Amino acid sequence: MVNKYPYLYETHLHTNVASACGQATPEEMAIACKEYGYTGIIVTDHNWGGNTCVDKSLSWEEHIDKYCLSYERAKAKGDEIGLQVFFGLEAGFDATEFLIYGLTKDYLKAHPEYRNATVEEQYEIVHNGGGIVIHAHPYREEFYIPEIRLFPDYIDGVEGVNATHVSPLGKAQGKNGIFDERARKYAKDLGLPMTAGSDIHSTVLFGGGIRTKKKLSDINDFTKLILSGKDYILWDGEKAYPPM
């Protein structure tokens, strides 16, 4: 099956420029992913509602400029070495997190109301910008997550595979593959498509992501593919799963 889906994309990646938990530069992450064999990556650093290292006291436009530096630096390195790099973000709401795909820097700048938006308001803001909302690792249990909260009416899909949960390093840190099993059941019960990613914070890669039949052209190509729930598979680094 994997041979039919030769293009591998990392959809959940952090750097130390915008994520406080990031351990490597955007350039280092891009190089590591290229060397591993990824076709492309989506930079999804923690936003102003999550574990960001961008100064929250900055004006909205200044904050977005500094936040997007992570993606822009990764993109510059990707263009140099032949790695596709797309922009995304991980939005945090008291440790309930969502992966946002399809928005642009200019759109974010034009919508300062996003800074204090609720989960419900986020859904409208993201959709108005042509983006999608994916619930990241919805059943993860960790010290920093006070409770599992689900928002089935305000998401377009679910992260059904988070390779951190099944990697040896993740398991050593208390993560568990059952988190993904529950996420996939949740998505199937709702009839929603799924994504897969590694949630990487360093150049130690887990190999997760989505595998596609065709090379993606841009982030909008990615969002359309995910919404279709067809022509891609979920990959945890070793095993494949259907997208719906």
Side-chain angles (χ1 to χ4, degrees):
M1 177 192 287
V2 175
N3 292 337
K4 296 180 180 179
Y5 301 88
Y7 302 102
L8 179 61
Y9 289 88
E10 176 60 83
T11 69
H12 193 162
L13 176 150
H14 299 274
T15 83
N16 65 5
V17 168
S19 293
C21 46
Q23 300 173 39
T25 67
E27 294 83 2
E28 289 169 338
M29 296 300 286
I31 292 169
C33 287
K34 173 65 177 180
E35 291 178 348
Y36 187 90
Y38 281 98
T39 304
I41 61 175
I42 306 177
V43 178
T44 56
D45 278 306
H46 291 292
N47 78 340
W48 48 93
N51 193 26
T52 186
C53 56
V54 180
D55 187 352
K56 295 182 183 181
S57 69
L58 294 171
S59 71
W60 177 246
E61 289 203 1
E62 289 176 315
H63 185 92
I64 294 302
D65 278 335
K66 289 190 178 295
Y67 177 80
C68 290
L69 273 177
S70 176
Y71 156 72
E72 291 166 352
R73 285 173 52 177
K75 176 72 163 59
K77 178 55 68 173
D79 289 346
E80 179 185 320
I81 64 177
L83 177 78
Q84 290 183 295
V85 180
F86 304 143
F87 175 67
L89 57 95
E90 185 166 14
F93 297 84
D94 194 20
T96 299
E97 296 175 311
F98 303 89
L99 293 164
I100 309 300
Y101 305 109
L103 300 187
T104 66
K105 178 179 178 179
D106 288 342
Y107 183 79
L108 289 174
K109 281 189 170 185
H111 291 274
E113 69 273 18
Y114 195 0
R115 193 171 209 165
N116 298 305
T118 64
V119 171
E120 294 81 0
E121 291 166 341
Q122 169 182 254
Y123 187 67
E124 182 177 0
I125 292 168
V126 172
H127 275 209
N128 286 344
I132 62 173
V133 180
I134 304 295
H135 196 150
H137 44 70
Y139 286 93
R140 176 181 288 174
E141 298 176 16
E142 271 281 8
F143 71 93
Y144 65 87
I145 302 175
E147 62 178 324
I148 292 173
R149 297 186 298 161
L150 303 177
F151 295 86
D153 295 328
Y154 300 99
I155 58 173
D156 300 296
V158 175
E159 186 179 50
V161 169
N162 186 299
T164 299
H165 296 159
V166 296
S167 73
L169 180 60
K171 288 181 177 179
Q173 296 173 345
K175 296 181 177 63
N176 193 316
I178 197 171
F179 301 157
D180 285 355
E181 293 174 19
R182 291 169 178 167
R184 290 192 292 272
K185 182 180 186 304
Y186 176 54
K188 290 177 181 178
D189 288 345
L190 293 175
L192 291 177
M194 291 180 274
T195 64
S198 298
D199 202 355
I200 45 175
H201 293 70
S202 75
T203 55
V204 177
L205 307 186
F206 304 144
I210 67 162
R211 287 188 170 275
T212 64
K213 291 180 177 179
K214 298 179 180 179
K215 196 172 183 179
L216 300 176
S217 58
D218 54 29
I219 192 64
N220 294 320
D221 207 14
F222 171 79
T223 60
K224 290 176 184 176
L225 181 71
I226 297 303
L227 290 177
S228 76
K230 300 176 181 178
D231 295 327
Y232 71 98
I233 56 174
L234 313 178
W235 185 249
D236 70 5
E238 296 181 347
K239 186 178 177 181
Y241 305 82
M244 289 193 77

